[in-house]
Amino acid sequence: MADTGEGFISARRRLLIGAAAAVACAAIPVARAARDVNARSFGARGDGRTDDTAALQAALDAVSPGLVLRIPAGRYVIDALRSLRPRPGSSVFLDEGAVLQAAPDDAERSAIIDLTDVSDVTIRGGRLVGNRDGHGGGGEWGHGIRVLASNRIALSDIVITDCWGDGVYVGARGKAGAATPSRQVRLQRITCSHNRRQGLSITVASDVVVDGCTFVDTIGTPPSSGIDIEPQRQGPARGIRILRSTLSRNDGCGIECSGDVHDLAIVDCVIEGNRTHGILARGVTGVVIRGCTIRRQGRQGLVVARDVHDATLDANDVRDNGTQWHAEPSGKNPRPNVQIDIPPGELHGSGSGQQ
């Protein structure tokens, strides 16, 4: 269990979920208007034609800790190969009608906003639009917001659409065994829609809260899930909380996780109409799934694979899902809603509402 100082959930300590939800709703810092810096003062045009990358970066560089960069309404064209890079301790507030639009490119890797090796950054409001319709190359890593090896990051009230890769990517920098993870990342009221690979990817990270977010219509290249928690061999993902969020109409799963994932909670979420599974859990130690509505997936609503340990399922409404099972069946006939492949001793909770 990750030592986060905030009482992370394990499946055997599920009563802490309520406290976790309260922590997730902690207020994001609000700037005082007298300390705002206006991006237009640095030459940003916001006319939908001018490359505003340099002007906005100059404005970001002028925002010292305690100051806030305010980006007024307008469409700001961004070179996602250079990215916008907020400084540590800074806050960026996008006014209603402010859009950061990625310019066309053919790069495999890019990001409209790049948060690498920074701490205490807050970004709130506005809209980020990727370049999936103007992309001329390969790869799958053109993200809206990329968070690598960063701490205490707060993202809220942002709409992110049409990215070549993920709406938001949270992970580490460095090779396996020496990777620096991201820690204490908060996503509140984020909407990720029509991105190509994932709404949200979480790889090597700890203490990540996703609260009141929406991940819909992901399609283009696999896995095409609403949320994919997939640390692979770079390191573990620990203490992930997905609360009160909606995952719908994604071409893959609503939520999928696989390999070296620890202390995961999925609570009070609505997961409907995804093409494959609602929730697919593999390689997880300590998972709580409680109070979720899981309906009308193309495949099974909830799959807990045989390599999951210490799972708690409580009060989920799982119905009207498909009958095609996951590729690792337990040898039983497929069930249309729930497939549990772990031994009885690893499973806890009432499971009420499951069919």
Side-chain angles (χ1 to χ4, degrees):
M1 184 173 178
D3 182 12
T4 63
E6 294 192 26
F8 266 113
I9 307 160
S10 71
R12 296 190 187 281
R13 296 165 62 187
R14 56 193 179 275
L15 292 178
L16 294 178
I17 292 174
V23 171
C25 293
I28 291 175
V30 177
R32 293 174 294 181
R35 299 182 65 80
D36 285 356
V37 175
N38 193 311
R40 295 292 179 94
S41 301
F42 292 81
R45 302 284 296 274
D47 58 11
R49 300 183 302 275
T50 304
D51 184 342
D52 282 319
T53 311
L56 287 178
Q57 188 59 54
L60 288 166
D61 291 342
V63 179
S64 56
L67 297 179
V68 175
L69 175 64
R70 188 169 295 277
I71 301 178
R75 184 172 289 267
Y76 301 83
V77 177
I78 305 299
D79 180 353
L81 289 173
R82 289 187 286 164
S83 306
L84 298 179
R85 304 173 188 271
R87 297 177 61 185
S90 63
S91 297
V92 181
F93 293 173
L94 288 82
D95 287 347
E96 184 176 356
V99 179
L100 304 181
Q101 168 74 62
D105 62 50
D106 59 0
E108 292 188 354
R109 298 177 185 272
S110 64
I112 299 173
I113 297 176
D114 183 13
L115 300 172
T116 298
D117 292 319
V118 294
S119 298
D120 303 300
V121 174
T122 296
I123 302 174
R124 186 179 74 189
R127 186 181 186 97
L128 277 61
V129 179
N131 60 11
R132 66 175 296 165
D133 293 332
H135 197 281
E140 56 188 49
W141 304 282
H143 306 319
I145 300 177
R146 178 173 58 204
V147 182
L148 298 177
S150 293
N151 302 319
R152 297 180 299 280
I153 304 299
L155 309 174
S156 66
D157 302 298
I158 307 168
V159 176
I160 307 172
T161 66
D162 297 298
C163 291
W164 184 245
D166 305 339
V168 181
Y169 179 97
V170 179
R173 186 177 55 80
K175 296 181 179 180
T180 302
S182 292
R183 296 184 173 92
Q184 297 183 38
V185 179
R186 302 288 184 269
L187 283 72
Q188 294 180 274
R189 300 177 301 279
I190 301 294
T191 296
C192 291
S193 175
H194 198 239
N195 297 294
R196 181 169 170 264
R197 188 182 72 161
Q198 242 87 253
L200 166 65
S201 287
I202 301 172
T203 60
V204 183
S206 65
D207 187 0
V208 178
V209 174
V210 180
D211 186 19
C213 296
T214 300
F215 304 94
V216 296
D217 297 321
T218 309
I219 188 170
T221 192
S224 290
S225 292
I227 298 176
D228 183 21
I229 308 170
E230 190 178 2
Q232 299 181 356
R233 288 180 282 183
Q234 197 179 16
R238 297 183 182 275
I240 312 299
R241 289 171 283 184
I242 303 170
L243 312 173
R244 293 179 291 269
S245 293
T246 297
L247 304 103
S248 182
R249 304 189 306 274
N250 298 290
D251 200 49
C253 298
I255 300 172
E256 71 173 287
C257 47
S258 58
D260 212 3
V261 179
H262 305 261
D263 302 315
L264 167 66
I266 304 170
V267 180
D268 295 336
C269 292
V270 176
I271 305 169
E272 293 185 328
N274 299 286
R275 192 179 69 86
T276 59
H277 302 288
I279 299 176
L280 173 59
R282 298 174 296 185
V284 184
T285 300
V287 55
V288 175
I289 302 172
R290 193 188 77 180
C292 293
T293 298
I294 307 173
R295 297 181 180 177
R296 296 189 294 277
Q297 324 305 322
R299 298 184 184 177
Q300 290 163 302
L302 173 60
V303 175
V304 180
R306 65 190 66 181
D307 56 356
V308 171
H309 302 281
D310 196 8
T312 297
L313 310 178
D314 273 324
N316 298 294
D317 182 1
V318 188
R319 66 179 72 183
D320 302 326
N321 296 285
T323 59
Q324 183 178 2
W325 60 12
H326 175 56
E328 298 178 355
S330 60
K332 301 177 182 178
N333 292 328
R335 299 183 61 191
N337 288 305
V338 181
Q339 177 182 319
I340 307 297
D341 285 341
I342 62 176
E346 296 282 0
L347 183 65
H348 316 284
S350 66
S352 59
Q354 296 170 13
Q355 300 184 6

